[in-house]
Amino acid sequence: MGRITTSDLHGYIIDERNTGSLSEIPATLYEEIHADIVSIYNEASSREDPFSEGVQSLLKERESLREYVRELYNLRTKKILALALAKANGEEIDRTDVRMMVPGERMLFDVVCESASSCRKTLLDGKPTLETTAYNYVLPEVQKENDSLSSELINESPAETTDEDSVMRAVSAEKAPEENRVIAVKDKIPEFQDLSGRIYSLSPGDIVSLPSQMADVLCKDNKALSIRIRK
């Protein structure tokens, strides 16, 4: 199967809106879209001119992917939550809906169902049960893997994990936002967006803080003046 496009996402959204049950989507849809978003960001940030048609086109594509995947997520999540609550209340649900869930959605379904069921038993039946929430719920197969890893790592020295390792794991796939510069706009500048997705429409006299790369381009083209902020 090829790359999932905005047209594909729009089709999935239409299907999701037109039926009360869950529609079929690729099992790796969310992972693929996230990878595309990161790839587009990296491609756009590698270009020298952030105002070029190519960069602005890439950023618009990224925003479209974000908007479509969020809409699809919202539509499907509402159905999944309703299914989980129905099952927790003892109602019969269509097994086809469960099969249509991708792995992350199935985890959400299981967590909500178990939590709601536990709450129901505690509040309505007076039977205190072990708390099951998204913070401590682990799928059975994942728990088995964690148990085996724990036995392998139990004799490892904590010193083997450095602060640098922890920092590197915490860095996201997208680059950290670059430093901004304050500029005074001299010319009318057509609408554009920066790498973070923020949209600008600037006119002469505007004072704005922009990413350094964008500010440098505008100042170099004599469309803006750099303003030094005294501390």
Side-chain angles (χ1 to χ4, degrees):
M1 182 178 177
R3 174 177 175 268
I4 299 174
T5 65
T6 52
S7 295
D8 294 327
L9 287 174
H10 184 256
Y12 295 137
I13 289 171
I14 296 300
D15 290 343
E16 213 63 58
R17 287 175 178 167
N18 291 337
T19 178
S21 57
L22 284 171
S23 301
E24 184 175 8
I25 63 173
T28 57
L29 180 143
Y30 291 105
E31 291 84 353
E32 291 184 42
I33 296 301
H34 176 71
D36 273 352
I37 289 173
V38 172
S39 176
I40 291 172
Y41 174 91
N42 291 335
E43 172 65 20
S45 63
S46 69
R47 305 282 184 89
E48 291 186 4
D49 184 359
F51 295 97
S52 68
E53 184 177 344
V55 170
Q56 291 300 308
S57 177
L58 284 170
L59 295 178
K60 288 178 181 178
E61 180 184 1
R62 183 186 67 166
E63 288 309 303
S64 292
L65 286 173
R66 280 178 166 176
E67 290 176 7
Y68 278 127
V69 78
R70 286 170 181 166
E71 175 66 12
L72 181 64
Y73 169 82
N74 288 336
L75 290 170
R76 292 179 65 85
T77 299
K78 288 177 182 177
K79 295 179 182 180
I80 292 168
L81 293 177
L83 288 167
L85 292 175
K87 183 178 179 181
N89 288 330
E91 301 175 24
E92 289 290 333
I93 63 172
D94 192 338
R95 293 183 179 179
T96 301
D97 279 322
V98 178
R99 289 197 295 270
M100 291 296 178
M101 297 176 193
V102 300
E105 294 173 338
R106 179 58 191 271
M107 181 176 289
L108 171 65
F109 173 80
D110 289 340
V111 167
V112 174
C113 185
E114 291 295 330
S115 297
S117 178
S118 175
C119 181
R120 179 185 177 88
K121 291 177 181 177
T122 300
L123 298 181
L124 299 184
D125 302 333
K127 299 177 180 178
T129 60
L130 291 176
E131 183 182 15
T132 305
T133 70
Y135 294 101
N136 63 16
Y137 183 82
V138 181
L139 288 175
E141 56 268 28
V142 176
Q143 184 61 56
K144 291 180 181 178
E145 294 179 5
N146 289 344
D147 291 342
S148 62
L149 284 174
S150 296
S151 62
E152 294 175 5
L153 300 175
I154 195 169
N155 293 320
E156 283 193 7
S157 170
E160 295 182 11
T161 300
T162 66
D163 290 341
E164 183 178 356
D165 294 332
S166 299
V167 172
M168 290 303 294
R169 284 196 296 269
V171 175
S172 64
E174 292 191 5
K175 298 177 182 177
E178 61 177 303
E179 183 179 352
N180 280 21
R181 284 178 54 195
V182 178
I183 60 172
V185 180
K186 298 173 60 178
D187 293 337
K188 175 71 176 177
I189 301 174
E191 184 176 279
F192 65 93
Q193 63 175 298
D194 62 18
L195 292 174
S196 69
R198 181 175 298 173
I199 297 174
Y200 302 81
S201 182
L202 304 178
S203 301
D206 287 345
I207 305 295
V208 63
S209 175
L210 287 179
S212 296
Q213 184 185 14
M214 289 188 146
D216 289 342
V217 171
L218 292 179
C219 292
K220 182 179 179 180
D221 293 342
N222 201 32
K223 294 181 179 179
L225 292 174
S226 179
I227 298 178
R228 185 183 298 275
I229 304 297
R230 294 184 178 180
K231 297 182 179 180

